[in-house]
Amino acid sequence: QQEKIEEIRQYYNPNFNTSPFYIYYYKDINNYFTPFIGTWIYQNGNQTFIINFWKETKSAYLDKKPKHYIDELKGHYKLVQNYGQPNEQVIYTSQKNVGNSITPWPTIVMANQPMESYIMRGTIFDVAGVLNPSYPTGVRGDLEMIINPANPNTAQWKVKLPPGIRLSDQPSTFTIPTNITLTKVNQ
């Protein structure tokens, strides 16, 4: 099969027709992810919530039908006491490994329908609270981050439970912030 590059929006376009003769690479050609990449913080007293985003290019989904590659915006978060001070202490972090492996859980995946350079939607897994062994990825949430066009170094961060039915033992309370304004501190 030959590889064919398509704009990432085509992946989310229900009217886009694929051909079995190609393995598609849905690429962030218009750099929708670029404004999000870097470190963002929210300060609350002596505690700082920190998010770091990076772009993973050409993530392979060759076991899916149809086979494809796609660019993804991923991230990790942590809550730190006395951020930047000699007595800095991490209260929680999303950088946890899968089981006993050295592979970290992908706790933030922001790739859903990148249509504009300042709005991103995706999935977040809150692994900060007490984890139920039946749900090792914690509370699954829908994440929306909107960069302020008037001040691109600030963004609104909102997390909510996805719609649908949940099992009675399924976690549904977030430990991470669910509605805050972030400030970008570096690229």
Side-chain angles (χ1 to χ4, degrees):
Q1 287 180 319
Q2 186 178 356
E3 181 179 298
K4 185 171 184 190
I5 296 174
E6 291 288 343
E7 209 281 325
I8 194 169
R9 289 189 302 176
Q10 294 296 16
Y11 180 76
Y12 301 99
N13 178 356
N15 299 317
F16 179 69
N17 292 318
T18 59
S19 165
F21 301 110
Y22 296 108
I23 295 178
Y24 289 90
Y25 171 23
Y26 299 98
K27 186 176 175 74
D28 182 25
I29 293 169
N30 293 314
N31 295 312
Y32 293 118
F33 296 156
T34 301
F36 294 87
I37 295 170
T39 303
W40 298 79
I41 65 169
Y42 166 72
Q43 191 94 30
N44 186 13
N46 64 352
Q47 293 185 344
T48 307
F49 184 67
I50 305 162
I51 300 107
N52 185 34
F53 286 112
W54 66 91
K55 179 178 173 177
E56 286 192 7
T57 56
K58 208 171 182 182
S59 295
Y61 290 88
L62 301 178
D63 57 339
K64 303 278 185 192
K65 297 249 188 249
K67 297 176 181 179
H68 64 278
Y69 299 96
I70 190 166
D71 290 346
E72 294 178 323
L73 186 69
K74 294 190 176 184
H76 278 293
Y77 56 85
K78 63 183 173 180
L79 183 66
V80 175
Q81 183 112 2
N82 302 319
Y83 179 58
Q85 303 299 317
N87 62 340
E88 177 178 302
Q89 179 183 357
V90 175
I91 297 170
Y92 60 72
T93 180
S94 70
Q95 290 187 262
K96 297 182 179 189
N97 292 343
V98 177
N100 295 323
S101 75
I102 59 168
T103 305
W105 281 110
T107 48
I108 303 177
V109 179
M110 307 261 305
N112 296 352
Q113 303 172 8
M115 301 294 185
E116 300 167 81
S117 59
Y118 60 92
I119 299 174
M120 195 62 57
R121 292 177 184 88
T123 302
I124 186 164
F125 296 95
D126 184 346
V127 295
V130 177
L131 295 181
N132 178 330
S134 299
Y135 301 94
T137 58
V139 185
R140 180 179 181 269
D142 289 342
L143 172 60
E144 179 180 70
M145 187 169 162
I146 302 173
I147 293 175
N148 181 350
N151 180 0
N153 288 324
T154 62
Q156 192 63 35
W157 161 281
K158 291 184 180 181
V159 178
K160 62 182 180 179
L161 289 171
I165 299 171
R166 275 173 274 301
L167 301 174
S168 60
D169 69 334
Q170 193 169 354
S172 61
T173 303
F174 292 104
T175 301
I176 60 173
T178 57
N179 190 356
I180 56 175
T181 300
L182 298 168
T183 302
K184 193 170 193 179
V185 292
N186 72 18
Q187 302 292 337

